[in-house]
Amino acid sequence: MIQRLAIIGIGLIGSSIARVAREKQLAASIVCADRSQAHCTEALALGIVDAASTDPADAVAGADLVIICTPIGTYGAIAKAIAPALAPGAIVSDVGSVKQAAILALQPHLPAHVHLIPGHPVAGTEHSGPGAGFATLFDGRWCILTPLPDTNAEALTRLEAFWQGAGSNLATMTAEHHDRVLAITSHLPHLIAYTIVGTAADLEDQLQAEVIQYSAGGFRDFTRIAGSDPVMWRDVFLNNRDAVLEMLGRLHEDIALMQRAIRIGDGQTLQDLFTRTRAIRRGVLAAKQA
Ligand code: NAP
């Protein structure tokens, strides 16, 4: 069991961790820090933390597990602020959607006497803030840890046990591999959704109104993803540039093939692709990740 869990950023992911830690008794005490006093007050009112502060150094003092749950762009300043207050032997982890950039931002500031083990629960919604979290968010979802070559084995086991207690399936891989996989499974789909909804937003007024009225035709599924937090996603694209650009290049090529198939009336090419993609959807359902 964790004695003192410190969560930096009590939004969707941070508050979900607090809720599940509370419910499953994964930590004896739970404290949080958030730059927003209103979020600190809300977390206390929800009863999901024992103490809350706008100063991250306050929250991490005496903590044996610190989980950073803020947008990636904030990591450097947070690591700098908490470094002097971190207890020897503490595990410092995070939930950021990009891992190489997370390590680059955190590692230089952290003292040698703590264990940095980056993580990413592959679970979320398009909502933000302490009220958006829920205790079952991680249930049956994957949590990917990207330990460093010299990560302490005992610390890794403790962090794995924490996430297992939260209901997650655990995987470990290198940060580089994580960033390539997530570029295609998460980052590119968000980019496509943001773009297509942006395209619709630029249509002339009459057409735009009809897009919303008839959105059940498929568009609404894109609007859900495109309703995700703007700051978080800005930071994802700025911090996973190479992998996203590589996958975007492949997508451009494949869209050109579709464009050609439609232009020349090549129904076989269209049907072949749609048959393969249907099988992938069935695989997602079978893996209970739908
Ligand atoms: P969120 O709901 O907006 O929560 C982030 C919280 O951190 C907010 O309360 C925010 O306050 C606060 N914050 C921002 N900058 C801060 C700073 N410098 N110091 C202290 N607190 C600060 O976002 P989220 O969806 O939980 O995402 C948090 C992290 O989880 C991101 O790194 C993201 O990549 C990762 N993640 C997200 C998802 C998802 O689906 N949403 C899934 C997996 C991983 P303000 O509201 O005032 O900015």
Side-chain angles (χ1 to χ4, degrees), residues 17-281:
I17 294 174
R19 282 174 171 90
V20 70
R22 186 63 111 211
E23 212 175 281
K24 303 259 182 84
Q25 300 184 353
L26 304 175
S29 79
I30 307 170
V31 298
C32 78
D34 198 286
R35 68 172 178 185
S36 151
Q37 180 58 54
H39 285 179
C40 291
T41 307
E42 192 178 344
L44 284 167
L46 287 166
I48 56 177
V49 295
D50 301 301
S53 167
T54 52
D55 180 356
D58 267 358
V60 305
D64 44 352
L65 174 58
V66 176
I67 308 183
I68 301 171
C69 304
T70 56
I72 308 267
T74 64
Y75 277 23
I78 288 175
K80 213 167 166 180
I82 63 174
L86 288 167
I91 297 170
V92 178
S93 190
D94 78 310
V95 296
S97 311
V98 181
K99 300 283 33 113
Q100 290 176 102
I103 294 167
L104 283 176
L106 296 174
Q107 202 173 28
H109 301 292
L110 297 180
H113 62 65
V114 302
H115 307 294
L116 171 61
I117 311 177
H120 177 204
V122 186
T125 73
E126 69 277 26
H127 303 298
S128 305
F134 49 101
T136 54
L137 177 63
F138 311 110
D139 231 13
R141 301 284 175 229
W142 287 92
C143 179
I144 301 173
L145 300 180
T146 61
L148 303 167
D150 59 350
T151 290
N152 176 286
E154 197 184 318
L156 179 59
T157 304
R158 277 192 90 195
L159 186 60
E160 284 175 337
F162 178 83
W163 279 108
Q164 271 156 359
S168 299
N169 305 324
L170 264 290
T172 54
M173 60 181 73
T174 65
E176 189 194 1
H177 188 68
H178 167 279
D179 290 354
R180 286 197 81 221
V181 172
L182 271 291
I184 187 73
T185 58
S186 169
H187 306 169
L188 203 57
H190 277 79
L191 193 68
I192 292 166
Y194 279 124
T195 308
I196 196 169
V197 175
T199 303
D202 291 340
L203 293 173
E204 55 272 33
D205 289 352
Q206 170 62 24
L207 205 49
Q208 204 189 100
E210 284 174 325
V211 165
I212 293 177
Q213 185 175 341
Y214 303 120
S215 62
F219 184 72
R220 71 163 177 212
D221 293 339
F222 286 111
T223 64
R224 184 186 64 72
I225 298 178
S228 300
D229 189 73
V231 173
M232 171 197 149
W233 282 98
R234 176 202 67 193
D235 286 0
V236 167
F237 292 115
L238 294 180
N239 286 283
N240 199 20
R241 193 178 54 176
D242 292 349
V244 169
L245 289 179
E246 184 202 330
M247 298 306 171
L248 196 55
R250 291 175 183 232
L251 179 75
H252 276 305
E253 289 173 15
D254 293 341
I255 284 184
L257 286 177
M258 289 294 101
Q259 193 174 5
R260 184 166 188 279
I262 293 168
R263 184 166 51 77
I264 66 174
D266 177 1
Q268 195 59 51
T269 294
L270 298 175
Q271 192 177 335
D272 286 351
L273 177 68
F274 303 163
T275 305
R276 279 199 289 138
T277 57
R278 190 174 225 193
I280 288 178
R281 171 65 186 170

